[in-house]
Amino acid sequence: MYAQVVDEADIQYAHRVDRKALAAITREMSKVNNGRALWALACQWLVIVAAFAFVVLVDRWWAWPLAAVLIATRQHAMLALMHEAAHYHFLSNRKVSDVVSDLLCAFPLNMTTAGYRHEHMLHHRYVNTDKDPYLAGQLVDASWHFPRTPMRATAVFLADALGLYAPNHLKVVLPWTYWGRLVGRAQPRITPMEHLRYWLYVATLVTVLVTTGAWLHWLLLWVMPTTTVMMAFFRMRALGEHPIEESTSGDETRETRDVLGTALENFFIAPLNVNLHLTHHAFPSVPFYNLPAMHEQLDKAGLLEDGVNQFDTYLGKENSLIQYLTREPEASAAAAAASQQPRLVQPLHS
């Protein structure tokens, strides 16, 4: 079931996306809707503000972890919106888009839109090759190596939730941060306008914290979730996007996945349609709110195959990502052997 090539007919399944046939609908679906993007951003911040208010009003110890988990889900959504800005389809005005993304998505998560964009574009260009910065980082980090037994897989996600893998994740995101780019000289160089708005953000944050005295709330309800619970959600989502193998076939249509997910799963693990990752790679110009329509086009084209590049859920009992991540070693070995079979090696964006 899991990407096993059994005959020549299966090899031929790895056909390309007919971009010419889909050109008209792709252009239509690539139109940026500023209202939808800003509403999505506003919704995340409304939930975050409500979670902080809940802790203050209830004033019970159990309100803190509940609010922290809820805030972590919306921090993950803010990452998704920063990703939209990295592709220049968050807002129609690119300069305004970067400013809004930095101030309301990236900086609060200690990242920069431009820093993230640099590595993310390399990922799209060299996905699942030795030049893919994401894959390179995952291959040298044993915590990303699957399949695992159910108990060992659970241990990884639990360790994320407890912050035990925070140093590993910091190494990955360091080139995306202001200080990583400034001191570590990660690309691209920080522009004068980025300097200005970053320090404007810092001054605003410090002023609010000094005025309200909410330092503990900020540390426990904002800083801590970004290095703990959010990373557990992020790992589950990232493991669903691409197989992590040392040897790959070069066929992006089979090594990038869509995970449909339930409504509850997508709220926690894959907000704002980031679960449709194969669709995103096939049509990177399409904003998040139009990805479901393009997913339907891939389905109509016969490009999607359960257990290979499409899963129904993250945690369900049938055709789920967790089944794939905890499959028997024999199935994993068969999938690895399948990746060595000759295939038509072409980029998805041909």
Side-chain angles (χ1 to χ4, degrees), residues 16-17 33 65 113 115 152 197 284 339 350:
R16 311 269 63 82
V17 177
N33 187 318
T113 304
R152 292 184 65 226
R197 61 178 175 260
S339 70
S350 55

Side-chain angles (χ1 to χ4, degrees), residues 57-69:
L57 295 174
V58 172
D59 194 24
R60 295 289 188 275
W61 69 265
W62 49 263
W64 291 74
L66 288 178
V69 171

Side-chain angles (χ1 to χ4, degrees), residues 171-285:
K171 291 179 183 178
V172 174
V173 304
L174 191 60
W176 311 346
T177 68
Y178 176 86
W179 292 104
R181 291 169 62 195
L182 183 67
V183 179
R185 297 185 179 181
Q187 294 298 319
R189 294 183 63 180
I190 301 174
T191 67
M193 289 304 298
E194 282 183 285
H195 281 298
L196 178 62
R197 61 178 175 260
Y198 178 77
W199 288 108
L200 174 63
Y201 162 77
V202 171
T204 302
L205 175 63
V206 171
T207 299
V208 170
L209 293 178
V210 169
T211 302
T212 62
W215 294 95
L216 186 63
H217 291 77
W218 177 66
L219 287 171
L220 296 184
L221 296 178
W222 188 263
V223 177
M224 187 175 290
T226 64
T227 58
T228 55
V229 181
M230 188 187 76
M231 297 315 305
F233 297 148
F234 174 83
R235 187 190 295 273
M236 176 63 75
R237 190 254 292 178
L239 286 169
E241 294 177 348
H242 302 280
I244 301 172
E245 308 284 353
E246 293 186 14
S247 300
T248 58
S249 70
D251 180 4
E252 188 178 351
T253 61
R254 292 170 72 85
E255 292 177 347
T256 309
R257 309 188 189 105
D258 281 358
V259 182
L260 302 182
T262 65
L264 191 61
E265 287 176 337
N266 290 338
F267 180 84
F268 284 94
I269 299 170
L272 303 178
N273 295 326
V274 293
N275 53 307
L276 303 178
H277 201 64
L278 170 57
T279 305
H280 167 63
H281 271 255
F283 308 103
S285 65

Side-chain angles (χ1 to χ4, degrees), residues 82-142:
M82 180 183 71
H83 169 263
E84 293 293 298
H87 278 277
Y88 297 112
H89 50 55
F90 177 51
L91 300 176
S92 55
N93 185 305
R94 292 185 173 187
K95 291 183 179 180
V96 174
S97 178
D98 275 10
V99 171
V100 173
S101 175
D102 273 345
L103 293 176
L104 295 177
C105 296
F107 291 168
L109 298 174
N110 196 31
M111 299 181 192
T112 63
T113 304
Y116 172 76
R117 177 185 291 128
H118 177 75
E119 281 202 352
H120 189 68
M121 292 302 103
L122 292 176
H123 164 67
H124 271 267
R125 184 174 183 180
Y126 301 112
V127 62
N128 272 24
T129 71
D130 56 2
K131 295 182 180 180
D132 181 347
Y134 295 174
L135 179 63
Q138 291 167 339
L139 287 177
V140 298
D141 184 346

